[in-house]
Amino acid sequence: MGANNGKQYGSEGKGSSSISSDISSSTDHTPTKALKNVATTEGLESSTRTLSTPSPGLILPSKSSSLSSPALSSNGHETNSSSSSSAHTETVAVIHPQPGVHTRSRQSKTHHYAPINLLPDHTLLQIFSHLPTNQLCRCARVCRRWYNLAWDPRLWSTIRLTGELLHADRAIRVLTHRLCQDTPNVCLTLETVVVNGCKRLTDRGLHILAQCCPELRRLEVAGCYNISNDAVFEVVSRCPSLEHLDLSGCSKVTCISLTQEASLQLSPLHGQQISIHFLDMTDCFSLEDEGLRTIASHCPRLTHLYLRRCSRLTDEALRHLSLHCPSIRELSLSDCRLVGDFGLREVARLEGCLRYLSVAHCTRITDVGVRYVARYCPRLRYLNARGCEGLTDHGLGHLARSCPKLKSLDVGKCPLVSDSGLEQLAMYCQGLRRVSLRACESVTGRGLKALAANCCELQLLNVQDCEVSPEALRFVRRHCRRCIIEHTNPAFY
C-alpha cells in the first residue's frame, strides 16, 4: 500500500488538492533520516494560494518513510531535497494532491477490495471516532472515501496533540484551517483541545484557537511553559463556553481575567463573568496572592481548584476565595507552605459545599485549622493532611465527630497521631474506605484493630514504616476482606 500511495500522491491532479502537515512527535533522540522532498513554511503558504481547494492538515510521524512523497514547489513542479541526518526531528510540511486523482486507470488493473472496505460508512465512522488525532489524519490519506469520512465534522469535537518536539503552533494552525473549510474562519465543532507536554506551544497557537474556536469548552496545556497571561486572556475572553482549563506547569501564568491589566477590577462593559468550573494551576510558581484575588473575582463559578506547589500563596489569598467562589467543592493547597490555620479558617467559610481538601505538607497547620474545617464543613469526604506535623489526636477527634461521612483520610507523617485518634475515627466514621498512616510512629496494633472492627468497608490501609505486629495486620485482613494492606513488615504475607 505504501508504494501505491507514493505513486498516488506523486502528481498534481486537475481537480481539488490537499495539503498534509507532517508533524513529528517522536521522542527518539537517535539520529534519523529526514523526510525527502519537504517544503518550507514559505513554500507551504505559496503553494496553498496556487491550489483550488483549502488543505487538510495531516499529523504523521516523520519515521514513516513509506508515506513520504515528492513535494510541490510554488510553481507546481516536483522538487527533490537531499536526505540528511538529524538528532532532533523538525516539523515539516508536505504537499500532496487529494487521494484518488489520476490513479484510477492505473489501479484498476490490480484492484482488490480490502475486507475493511466492505464496512458501511457509519461503521467506519464509529471506528474512526476512537482514533487519536494523528491516526485519524493518517486515515485521511488512504483513499478518497476514507478522506471524506476522516474529515467528517462529527469526528472533530476533540483534538489531542502530544510530543515535546511537536511544532504545536503549526499543527493547530493547519488543523483549524481545514476544520474551518465549511464555516470560514470559525470552527463550530471543536470543543476540546488537549496539548499536554507540547513544550513548543506558544501564545501564537492559543491565539489561533481563541480566534477560530468560539465553542471551546475544555483546554489542557499542562507542561507548556511558554504560555503567558496574554494567551490565557485571549482564550477566556473569546471562548465564553470554556469550563475546564488545565494550566499546570505553565510557570509564566500569574492570573486569569477579562481585562488586559490584571490589576483592574472587572468592568461592566465586559459582560458575563468567566464560566470556568475546573481550574488546575499546579506548579504555577509565579502565582501570588494578588493573582489569586483576580482569578477569584473573575471566576465566581469555580467548583474545582488545584493550587499544588504554588509556594507564594498565603492565608490572605484564601480570604478572596471564600468571598468570591462560594461553590468550590474540591480544593488542593498541597505544598503551599505559607498557608496556616488562618487560611483554613477562610476555607471553612465554604461550609457545606466543600467535599475534598488537600493541605499536604502545609507545616503551619495544626489542630486549630482542622477544627475550623471540621466544624463548618460537615460534608467533607476527603482530607489529605500528610506531613502536617502539628496535627494530633485532639484535632482528629474533632474531625471524626463533625465529619461522619468521611471516606478518605491521609495523616501520614503526623508523628503525634496515635491509637487514641484512630479509635475515635473508628467510632464516628465507619464509612471510611481509604486510610493512610504511613510513618505514624505512635500507631500500634490497638488502633488498627479498632479501625478494622468498625470500618468494614475499608479498601486501602497504608501502614508502611509503622511499628505494627503481623498479628494486627492479620486481624485487619480477617475483618476487611476487600482491604489492600500496604506495609513494610516482612513477617506478614
Side-chain angles (χ1 to χ4, degrees):
M1 181 180 291
N4 291 336
N5 286 341
K7 296 178 180 179
Q8 186 174 347
Y9 304 147
S11 60
E12 181 180 4
K14 296 181 181 179
S16 61
S17 301
S18 63
I19 300 175
S20 64
S21 177
D22 184 1
I23 299 171
S24 171
S25 59
S26 174
T27 57
D28 186 5
H29 298 288
T30 58
T32 56
K33 291 187 178 180
L35 279 176
K36 295 183 179 180
N37 308 322
V38 298
T40 62
T41 304
E42 292 79 3
L44 174 62
E45 294 173 351
S46 62
S47 299
T48 304
R49 291 194 293 270
T50 63
L51 298 175
S52 59
T53 303
S55 60
L58 306 184
I59 301 178
L60 306 170
S62 61
K63 292 183 179 180
S64 301
S65 58
S66 62
L67 295 179
S68 63
S69 306
L72 296 180
S73 63
S74 59
N75 60 7
H77 295 85
E78 293 185 5
T79 60
N80 294 320
S81 61
S82 60
S83 301
S84 60
S85 298
S86 173
H88 297 284
T89 310
E90 177 59 65
T91 300
V92 291
V94 185
I95 303 175
H96 303 293
Q98 185 175 357
V101 179
H102 281 335
T103 57
R104 292 184 179 177
S105 59
R106 186 178 303 173
Q107 292 181 348
S108 60
K109 298 179 181 179
T110 59
H111 184 68
H112 297 285
Y113 275 109
I116 195 171
N117 287 333
L118 301 178
L119 297 176
D121 287 354
H122 67 85
T123 303
L124 280 178
L125 281 175
Q126 184 66 25
I127 295 174
F128 287 175
S129 67
H130 297 283
L131 297 179
T133 301
N134 63 329
Q135 296 297 331
L136 190 57
C137 291
R138 279 174 174 262
C139 291
R141 300 187 61 188
V142 173
C143 62
R144 181 187 294 271
R145 181 192 178 204
W146 281 35
Y147 173 87
N148 293 329
L149 291 175
W151 288 108
D152 189 300
R154 290 170 292 182
L155 299 178
W156 290 95
S157 62
T158 299
I159 288 179
R160 295 182 183 273
L161 304 174
T162 57
E164 294 184 1
L165 301 180
L166 174 67
H167 200 314
D169 290 347
R170 189 179 304 177
I172 290 174
R173 185 191 67 196
V174 177
L175 284 172
T176 53
H177 176 74
R178 175 59 180 82
L179 295 174
C180 291
Q181 217 173 39
D182 298 329
T183 53
N185 301 324
V186 179
C187 178
L188 299 178
T189 61
L190 189 58
E191 296 183 351
T192 300
V193 175
V194 179
V195 285
N196 293 334
C198 295
K199 297 182 178 180
R200 299 181 67 180
L201 178 70
T202 67
D203 288 355
R204 188 180 298 116
L206 289 193
H207 281 300
I208 295 173
L209 283 178
Q211 293 170 2
C212 299
C213 307
E215 297 299 322
L216 195 64
R217 294 180 178 273
R218 183 186 184 104
L219 176 62
E220 297 183 18
V221 289
C224 302
Y225 48 73
N226 290 316
I227 299 300
S228 70
N229 289 340
D230 292 337
V232 176
F233 165 76
E234 286 292 324
V235 171
V236 298
S237 60
R238 291 176 177 265
C239 304
S241 301
L242 189 67
E243 297 178 349
H244 183 113
L245 181 59
D246 186 349
L247 297 171
S248 55
C250 299
S251 54
K252 294 182 180 179
V253 177
T254 59
C255 73
I256 299 172
S257 69
L258 286 174
T259 55
Q260 285 282 15
E261 296 295 333
S263 59
L264 296 179
Q265 290 290 338
L266 185 63
S267 169
L269 296 176
H270 293 89
Q272 298 181 0
Q273 303 274 10
I274 300 175
S275 59
I276 292 177
H277 297 295
F278 179 103
L279 177 61
D280 191 344
M281 297 192 70
T282 298
D283 293 323
C284 292
F285 308 116
S286 301
L287 181 64
E288 298 181 347
D289 290 354
E290 186 62 23
L292 189 58
R293 180 193 67 79
T294 303
I295 292 172
S297 61
H298 287 74
C299 306
R301 302 180 186 179
L302 279 175
T303 58
H304 296 68
L305 179 60
Y306 303 94
L307 303 170
R308 306 178 187 94
R309 292 180 290 281
C310 294
S311 55
R312 298 185 182 183
L313 296 179
T314 68
D315 295 338
E316 177 63 21
L318 301 181
R319 184 173 67 86
H320 299 293
L321 278 182
S322 61
L323 287 175
H324 299 288
C325 304
S327 302
I328 290 182
R329 295 170 57 89
E330 295 192 10
L331 176 63
S332 177
L333 301 168
S334 298
D335 294 282
C336 295
R337 298 182 183 272
L338 299 180
V339 172
D341 292 333
F342 288 106
L344 282 195
R345 183 183 65 179
E346 299 300 327
V347 170
R349 296 179 187 274
L350 296 172
E351 297 183 345
C353 289
L354 195 64
R355 301 288 191 277
Y356 172 108
L357 177 63
S358 177
V359 289
H361 305 295
C362 295
T363 54
R364 297 188 178 189
I365 289 176
T366 67
D367 290 343
V368 176
V370 173
R371 185 172 58 189
Y372 278 123
V373 172
R375 180 176 180 181
Y376 294 103
C377 303
R379 298 182 181 179
L380 195 67
R381 300 289 192 276
Y382 175 99
L383 177 63
N384 184 352
R386 181 175 62 252
C388 296
E389 297 180 354
L391 181 62
T392 70
D393 292 336
H394 185 65
L396 215 56
H398 278 287
L399 183 68
R401 289 189 295 271
S402 301
C403 302
K405 296 183 179 180
L406 199 65
K407 299 294 183 183
S408 179
L409 178 65
D410 188 342
V411 288
K413 298 184 179 180
C414 295
L416 301 180
V417 171
S418 67
D419 295 336
S420 177
L422 295 185
E423 288 173 345
Q424 294 184 70
L425 278 176
M427 183 181 301
Y428 296 103
C429 300
Q430 299 184 2
L432 275 172
R433 295 182 180 178
R434 302 171 66 91
V435 177
S436 177
L437 304 168
R438 181 170 185 172
C440 289
E441 302 170 355
S442 302
V443 171
T444 67
R446 179 167 63 92
L448 294 188
K449 290 180 179 180
L451 275 180
N454 292 276
C455 303
C456 300
E457 298 180 12
L458 203 62
Q459 298 176 0
L460 176 65
L461 178 64
N462 187 338
V463 288
Q464 293 178 333
D465 302 318
C466 293
E467 296 295 331
V468 293
S469 64
E471 179 187 358
L473 297 180
R474 294 189 187 97
F475 184 90
V476 173
R477 186 167 60 184
R478 282 198 306 271
H479 286 77
C480 305
R481 297 186 178 277
R482 297 182 180 180
C483 183
I484 298 174
I485 304 174
E486 298 179 356
H487 65 93
T488 53
N489 192 327
F492 175 74
Y493 53 90

